[in-house]
Amino acid sequence: MGLANYITAILNFAAFLCSIPIIAAGIWFAQKPDNVCIHLFRWPVIVLGFLILLVSLAGFVGACFYKKTLLAFYLCCMAILIALLLILLVFAFVVTRPDGSYDVPGKGYKEYRVDGYSSWLRNRIVDSKSWYKIRACLADTDVCPKLNQQYITVDQFFAAHLSPLQSGCCKPPTACGYNFVNPTVWTNPTNPTGDPDCYLWSNDQTQLCYNCKSCRAGLLGNLRSEWRKVNIILMVAVVVLICVYVIACSALKNAQTEDLFRRYKQGWI
């Protein structure tokens, strides 16, 4: 195996390794309770990660055994995958940039407004006809029940850094003035007109605030937070893959030039 092919094989192995954190990030993202209930967002990262893995393996085999067809397949497909990864990265950054959170005085957690998030997310989730299924799915998770085990006193709960989903779905809005009994039981609101969601709150553990707009906003807040974490991994992966691709193209071009020069020289001899 020539030096250029050896370098290309190493670079393809690096691309193969790069696909692993992408797949891991996709699996982590897909297993989150909110994403279990929203199938639209579960698979793109995982699918791209596996495609990069397979294409990298094809390039590695092609470089080791100098299979020109496999190398051409690798160069073409990897360029497409890098472009798709860039599109996904930019798209995710754009739709998760708006932030609907706001601080609550004297509380460790934030609360969330639907209007603060991108229209694309609102149209796909909040305003979609599938919200009833999403709400029922969320009610079957342990997102809210586990709060009763984590926080016993009111001081502990008010100092807690709740996730957007927990803040929006598991308790009534602070503006309602409900009195704390435990994290998922609240009574006697002092300002029931402070927020439209005040009338939607229920101490029924299968209902809570799952019908509230704050729950939909909390779901969007969770998606935003998780996507931005995944974006960091995707950003690093894109930079590494672009560098690997450019160097691999250069190495292959040099190998072809050297091969052509060698044949030309042999022809003269």
Side-chain angles (χ1 to χ4, degrees), residues 99-203:
D99 183 9
S101 66
Y102 61 93
D103 293 323
V104 181
K107 306 294 189 294
Y109 51 79
K110 294 183 178 183
E111 292 186 343
Y112 303 83
R113 295 188 183 94
V114 170
D115 294 340
Y117 295 98
S118 70
S119 59
W120 190 90
L121 279 177
R122 295 201 307 269
N123 293 336
R124 295 300 183 282
I125 299 172
V126 174
D127 299 329
S128 70
K129 296 180 181 179
S130 61
W131 174 253
Y132 178 79
K133 292 181 180 179
I134 296 173
R135 186 203 70 78
C137 177
L138 291 174
D140 288 337
T141 68
D142 66 345
V143 171
C144 294
K146 68 181 181 182
L147 292 177
N148 293 324
Q149 301 172 356
Q150 295 174 332
Y151 308 108
I152 307 300
T153 67
V154 63
D155 290 335
Q156 288 178 337
F157 184 78
F158 285 162
H161 297 285
L162 303 180
S163 71
L165 197 61
Q166 290 172 329
S167 176
C169 302
C170 306
K171 65 170 190 60
T174 302
C176 303
Y178 275 90
N179 292 308
F180 176 93
V181 177
N182 67 44
T184 58
V185 176
W186 300 72
T187 60
N188 303 323
T190 58
N191 184 27
T193 60
D195 191 294
D197 286 342
C198 298
Y199 295 104
L200 297 175
W201 168 259
S202 171
N203 285 322

Side-chain angles (χ1 to χ4, degrees), residues 15 38 52 54 68 74 83 87 92 97 115 117 125 135 145 149 164 174 198 201 229 241 258 265 269:
I38 306 173
I52 291 170
L54 293 174
K68 293 184 179 181
Y74 159 76
I87 291 171
R97 186 176 181 183
D115 294 340
Y117 295 98
I125 299 172
R135 186 203 70 78
Q149 301 172 356
T174 302
C198 298
W201 168 259
K229 291 176 182 177
L241 287 173
E258 290 175 2
K265 188 176 180 181
I269 294 175

Side-chain angles (χ1 to χ4, degrees), residues 231-252:
N231 277 357
I232 295 173
I233 296 175
L234 294 183
M235 200 177 303
V236 174
V238 165
V239 172
V240 173
L241 287 173
I242 289 175
C243 292
V244 166
Y245 185 80
V246 170
I247 297 172
C249 286
S250 178
L252 287 172

Side-chain angles (χ1 to χ4, degrees), residues 62-89:
C64 287
F65 299 99
Y66 197 54
K67 301 291 184 180
K68 293 184 179 181
T69 303
L70 277 179
L71 288 175
F73 172 81
Y74 159 76
L75 291 175
C76 179
C77 290
M78 187 58 76
I80 294 172
L81 290 175
I82 290 174
L84 290 175
L85 205 55
L86 278 170
I87 291 171
L88 178 63
L89 183 62

